[in-house]
Amino acid sequence: MTEQAAARQGLTDLVDSFGRVIGDLRISVTDRCNFRCTYCMPEEGMKWLPRSEVMSFEEIERLARIFVERYGVSGIRLTGGEPTVRAHLPVLVEKLARLEGPSGPVDLAMTTNGASMRTIAQTLRGAGLARVNISLDTLDRRRFLEMTRRDELERVLDGIEAAKEAGFSPVKINAVVQRGVNDDEIVALAGYGRDHEVEVRFIEFMPLDADGHWGSEKVVGQDEIVATIDAAYPLDRLAARGAAPADRFAYRDGRGLVGVIPTVTKPFCGDCDRVRLTAEGQFRTCLFATDEYDLMSAMRRGESDDDLATRIEAAVASKWAGHRINQVDFVRPAKSMSQIGG
Ligand code: SAM
């Protein structure tokens, strides 16, 4: 579309004060989860949002439409909590998959723990979901139970196969690496990705765990992760990542790709094009933001799309240059990962 045609259709870029154009929206569809991963949630005592405070499908669709149709946001990722525990999720997927921006239909993806994929993968695929990322931090059943507090390794592994069978392409695996917890499995997880033709993305442990046990000594950095894999399976680094969060590498023997998301040791905020909506309709311009913008109340007060767009633009203008995890003045957000939507 030409600039003139875009202007005629009321389409504008959503640009922050550092010139970054927003292209990716993460939507948390629920704060609830059927796992209790130690790096994310406490074992007990999580306070769930009351149902009335969670965005309805119509509210999610309305906001998503503004981002896609008005601002040309091309990617939406559903997350949570665990998105598949939200009742009637395929109905929402169907609504969102129909959204179309200037560059065509929205690229609709989801991050899930994979435990329900055997039952729901085909339906989600049929409803228009294009891609899934499935979390898998260990291949050891006892360790899986310790890390997720659920004995569900077999179901997740089967869920990954179900996602492939349903035609999601690509299926990616998210593995959070913690020192002394699962850093001895980096090569095994990489090997799993090679054998099962899925792209594993190792994620540096971030200070977003509800228990507040994060410490920099528990982070295994990108350089170490890459060196560990490279020693077993030689790697070639791919070209610059652009706005994507993962640095990607190709196995030199041609058996696929592997990625690392180096949020802590090599922040990529300068290229960040992401914004987020929490399950209760709070708009965030950074995972680590300490401020939220209340779009839910604005919608429920009856504000127009133009009013909502003004709020969105003001919020994006305040997107900060970068998180300050490695700085002395870093302040942890009050919410943990599952409450924000990872
Ligand atoms: N329940 C889904 C899942 O398990 O993938 C989606 C929500 S989960 C919050 C999204 C992603 O955030 C997962 O890949 C999870 O491993 C990651 N995550 C959660 N807490 C994290 C932390 N403290 N540091 C790094 N990644 C984290």
Side-chain angles (χ1 to χ4, degrees), residues 32-35 37 39-41 78-83 111-114 133-137 174-176 203-209 214 337-338 341-342:
R32 295 174 193 237
C33 190
N34 44 358
F35 284 16
C37 300
Y39 53 73
C40 187
M41 276 187 166
L78 303 179
T79 180
E82 170 51 38
T111 304
T112 172
N113 62 30
N133 285 26
I134 298 179
S135 298
L136 176 71
D137 310 309
N174 286 354
V176 178
I203 305 177
E204 292 182 354
F205 181 30
M206 302 175 210
L208 289 171
D209 57 319
W214 184 89
M337 188 69 113
S338 68

Coordinates of all heavy atoms in Angstrom, one line a residue, residues 32-35 37 39-41 78-83 111-114 133-137 174-176 203-209 214 337-338 341-342, ligand 1:
R32 N -4.7 -17.3 34.5 CA -4.7 -18.6 35.2 C -3.8 -19.6 34.4 O -3.6 -19.5 33.2 CB -6.1 -19.2 35.2 CG -7.0 -18.4 36.1 CD -8.4 -18.8 36.0 NE -9.2 -17.8 36.7 CZ -10.0 -18.0 37.7 NH1 -10.2 -19.2 38.2 NH2 -10.7 -17.0 38.2
C33 N -3.3 -20.6 35.1 CA -2.4 -21.6 34.5 C -2.6 -22.9 35.2 O -2.9 -23.0 36.4 CB -1.0 -21.1 34.6 SG 0.1 -22.2 33.6
N34 N -2.5 -24.0 34.5 CA -2.6 -25.3 35.0 C -1.2 -25.9 35.5 O -1.1 -27.0 36.0 CB -3.3 -26.3 34.1 CG -2.7 -26.2 32.6 OD1 -1.9 -25.3 32.4 ND2 -3.2 -27.0 31.7
F35 N -0.1 -25.1 35.2 CA 1.2 -25.5 35.7 C 1.6 -24.4 36.8 O 1.0 -23.4 36.9 CB 2.3 -25.4 34.6 CG 2.2 -26.6 33.7 CD1 1.2 -27.5 33.6 CD2 3.3 -26.9 32.8 CE1 1.1 -28.6 32.8 CE2 3.3 -27.9 32.0 CZ 2.2 -28.8 31.9
C37 N 5.1 -23.3 37.2 CA 6.6 -23.3 37.0 C 7.3 -22.4 38.1 O 6.9 -21.3 38.3 CB 6.9 -22.8 35.6 SG 6.1 -23.8 34.3
Y39 N 9.9 -20.8 38.1 CA 10.5 -19.5 37.6 C 9.5 -18.5 37.3 O 9.8 -17.4 36.8 CB 11.5 -19.7 36.5 CG 10.9 -20.5 35.3 CD1 9.9 -19.9 34.5 CD2 11.2 -21.8 35.1 CE1 9.4 -20.5 33.4 CE2 10.6 -22.5 34.0 CZ 9.7 -21.9 33.2 OH 9.1 -22.5 32.2
C40 N 8.2 -18.8 37.5 CA 7.1 -18.0 37.1 C 6.1 -17.7 38.2 O 5.8 -16.6 38.5 CB 6.4 -18.6 35.8 SG 5.2 -17.6 35.0
M41 N 5.6 -18.8 38.8 CA 4.5 -18.7 39.7 C 4.8 -19.3 41.1 O 5.7 -20.2 41.1 CB 3.3 -19.5 39.2 CG 2.4 -18.8 38.2 SD 1.0 -19.9 37.8 CE -0.1 -18.8 37.0
L78 N -1.0 -14.9 21.3 CA -1.8 -15.1 22.5 C -1.0 -15.8 23.5 O -0.2 -16.8 23.2 CB -3.0 -16.0 22.1 CG -3.9 -15.5 21.0 CD1 -5.0 -16.4 20.7 CD2 -4.5 -14.1 21.4
T79 N -1.1 -15.4 24.8 CA -0.4 -16.0 25.8 C -1.1 -15.9 27.1 O -2.3 -15.7 27.1 CB 1.0 -15.3 25.9 OG1 1.8 -15.9 26.9 CG2 1.0 -13.8 26.1
G80 N -0.5 -16.1 28.3 CA -1.1 -16.0 29.5 C -0.1 -15.9 30.7 O 1.0 -15.5 30.4
G81 N -0.5 -16.4 31.8 CA -1.2 -17.6 32.2 C -1.0 -18.7 31.0 O -0.1 -18.6 30.3
E82 N -2.0 -19.6 31.1 CA -2.0 -20.6 30.0 C -3.2 -20.4 29.1 O -4.3 -20.6 29.6 CB -2.0 -22.0 30.6 CG -2.2 -23.2 29.7 CD -1.3 -23.1 28.4 OE1 -0.1 -22.8 28.6 OE2 -1.8 -23.4 27.3
P83 N -2.9 -19.9 27.9 CA -4.1 -19.6 27.0 C -5.1 -20.7 26.8 O -6.3 -20.4 26.7 CB -3.4 -19.1 25.7 CG -2.0 -19.6 25.8 CD -1.6 -19.7 27.2
T111 N 1.7 -18.9 22.6 CA 2.7 -19.6 23.5 C 1.9 -20.4 24.5 O 0.9 -19.9 25.1 CB 3.5 -18.5 24.2 OG1 4.1 -17.7 23.2 CG2 4.6 -19.2 25.0
T112 N 2.2 -21.7 24.6 CA 1.5 -22.6 25.5 C 2.4 -23.6 26.2 O 3.6 -23.8 25.7 CB 0.5 -23.4 24.6 OG1 -0.1 -24.4 25.4 CG2 1.1 -24.0 23.4
N113 N 1.9 -24.1 27.3 CA 2.8 -25.2 27.9 C 2.6 -26.5 27.2 O 3.3 -27.5 27.5 CB 2.5 -25.3 29.4 CG 1.0 -25.7 29.7 OD1 0.4 -26.4 29.0 ND2 0.5 -25.2 30.9
G114 N 1.7 -26.6 26.3 CA 1.6 -27.8 25.4 C 0.8 -28.9 25.9 O 0.5 -29.9 25.2
N133 N 4.4 -21.8 20.0 CA 5.6 -22.0 20.8 C 5.2 -22.8 22.0 O 4.3 -22.4 22.7 CB 6.2 -20.7 21.3 CG 6.9 -19.9 20.1 OD1 6.5 -20.1 19.0 ND2 7.9 -19.1 20.5
I134 N 5.9 -23.9 22.3 CA 5.6 -24.7 23.4 C 6.8 -24.7 24.4 O 7.9 -24.9 24.0 CB 5.3 -26.2 22.9 CG1 4.0 -26.1 22.0 CG2 5.0 -27.1 24.1 CD1 3.6 -27.5 21.4
S135 N 6.4 -24.5 25.6 CA 7.5 -24.5 26.7 C 7.9 -25.9 27.1 O 7.1 -26.7 27.4 CB 7.0 -23.7 27.9 OG 6.7 -22.4 27.5
L136 N 9.2 -26.1 27.1 CA 9.8 -27.4 27.5 C 11.2 -27.1 28.1 O 12.1 -26.8 27.3 CB 9.9 -28.3 26.3 CG 10.5 -29.7 26.6 CD1 9.6 -30.6 27.5 CD2 10.8 -30.4 25.3
D137 N 11.4 -27.2 29.4 CA 12.6 -26.8 30.0 C 13.5 -28.0 30.4 O 14.7 -27.8 30.8 CB 12.4 -26.0 31.3 CG 11.4 -24.9 31.1 OD1 11.6 -24.1 30.1 OD2 10.4 -24.8 31.8
N174 N 10.2 -23.3 23.7 CA 10.8 -22.3 24.6 C 11.4 -23.0 25.8 O 10.7 -23.7 26.5 CB 9.8 -21.3 25.2 CG 9.3 -20.3 24.1 OD1 9.8 -20.3 23.0 ND2 8.3 -19.5 24.5
A175 N 12.7 -22.8 26.1 CA 13.3 -23.4 27.2 C 14.0 -22.4 28.1 O 15.0 -21.7 27.6 CB 14.4 -24.5 26.8
V176 N 13.5 -22.1 29.3 CA 14.2 -21.2 30.2 C 15.3 -21.9 30.9 O 15.1 -23.0 31.4 CB 13.2 -20.7 31.2 CG1 13.9 -19.7 32.2 CG2 12.0 -20.0 30.6
I203 N 15.9 -19.4 26.6 CA 15.5 -18.1 27.1 C 16.3 -17.8 28.4 O 16.3 -18.7 29.3 CB 14.0 -18.0 27.4 CG1 13.2 -18.3 26.2 CG2 13.6 -16.6 28.0 CD1 11.7 -18.4 26.5
E204 N 17.0 -16.7 28.4 CA 17.7 -16.3 29.7 C 16.6 -16.1 30.8 O 15.6 -15.4 30.5 CB 18.5 -15.1 29.5 CG 19.7 -15.3 28.6 CD 20.6 -14.1 28.4 OE1 20.3 -13.0 28.9 OE2 21.7 -14.2 27.8
F205 N 16.9 -16.6 32.0 CA 16.0 -16.4 33.1 C 15.9 -14.9 33.5 O 16.9 -14.2 33.7 CB 16.7 -17.2 34.3 CG 15.9 -17.2 35.6 CD1 14.5 -17.1 35.6 CD2 16.6 -17.3 36.8 CE1 13.8 -17.1 36.8 CE2 15.9 -17.3 38.0 CZ 14.5 -17.2 38.0
M206 N 14.7 -14.4 33.5 CA 14.4 -13.0 33.8 C 13.8 -12.8 35.2 O 13.2 -13.7 35.7 CB 13.4 -12.5 32.8 CG 13.8 -12.7 31.3 SD 12.3 -12.1 30.3 CE 12.6 -13.2 28.9
P207 N 14.0 -11.6 35.7 CA 13.5 -11.3 37.0 C 12.0 -11.0 37.0 O 11.6 -9.9 37.3 CB 14.3 -10.0 37.4 CG 14.8 -9.4 36.1 CD 14.9 -10.5 35.1
L208 N 11.3 -12.0 36.7 CA 9.8 -11.9 36.7 C 9.2 -13.1 37.4 O 8.0 -13.4 37.1 CB 9.4 -11.9 35.2 CG 9.7 -10.6 34.4 CD1 9.4 -10.7 33.0 CD2 8.9 -9.4 35.0
D209 N 9.9 -13.8 38.2 CA 9.4 -14.9 38.9 C 8.6 -14.4 40.2 O 9.1 -13.5 40.9 CB 10.5 -15.9 39.4 CG 11.6 -15.2 40.2 OD1 11.9 -14.1 39.8 OD2 12.0 -15.8 41.2
W214 N 14.9 -14.8 41.7 CA 15.8 -14.4 40.6 C 17.1 -13.8 41.1 O 17.0 -13.0 42.1 CB 15.2 -13.5 39.6 CG 16.1 -13.2 38.4 CD1 16.1 -13.9 37.2 CD2 17.0 -12.1 38.3 NE1 17.0 -13.3 36.4 CE2 17.6 -12.2 37.0 CE3 17.4 -11.1 39.1 CZ2 18.6 -11.3 36.5 CZ3 18.4 -10.2 38.6 CH2 19.0 -10.3 37.4
M337 N 5.5 -12.8 35.6 CA 5.4 -13.1 34.2 C 4.0 -13.6 33.8 O 3.4 -13.2 32.8 CB 6.4 -14.2 33.8 CG 6.5 -14.5 32.3 SD 7.2 -13.2 31.4 CE 8.7 -13.9 30.8
S338 N 3.4 -14.5 34.7 CA 2.1 -15.0 34.3 C 1.0 -14.0 34.4 O -0.1 -14.1 33.8 CB 1.7 -16.2 35.2 OG 1.5 -15.8 36.5
G341 N 1.8 -11.8 31.0 CA 1.7 -12.5 29.7 C 3.0 -12.5 29.0 O 3.5 -11.5 28.5
G342 N 3.7 -13.6 29.1 CA 5.1 -13.7 28.6 C 5.1 -13.8 27.1 O 4.1 -14.0 26.4
Ligands
SAM1 N1 1.7 -20.9 29.8 C1 2.3 -20.6 28.6 C2 3.7 -21.3 28.5 O1 4.0 -22.1 29.4 O2 4.4 -21.1 27.5 C3 2.4 -19.2 28.2 C4 2.7 -18.2 29.3 S1 4.4 -18.2 29.9 C5 4.4 -17.0 31.0 C6 5.3 -17.6 28.5 C7 6.8 -17.9 28.4 O3 7.4 -17.2 29.5 C8 7.1 -19.3 28.6 O4 8.0 -19.8 27.6 C9 7.9 -19.3 29.9 O5 8.9 -20.3 30.0 C10 8.4 -17.9 30.0 N2 8.8 -17.5 31.3 C11 8.0 -17.5 32.4 N3 8.7 -16.9 33.5 C12 9.9 -16.6 33.0 C13 11.1 -16.0 33.6 N4 11.1 -15.7 34.9 N5 12.2 -15.9 32.8 C14 12.2 -16.2 31.5 N6 11.1 -16.7 30.9 C15 10.0 -16.9 31.6

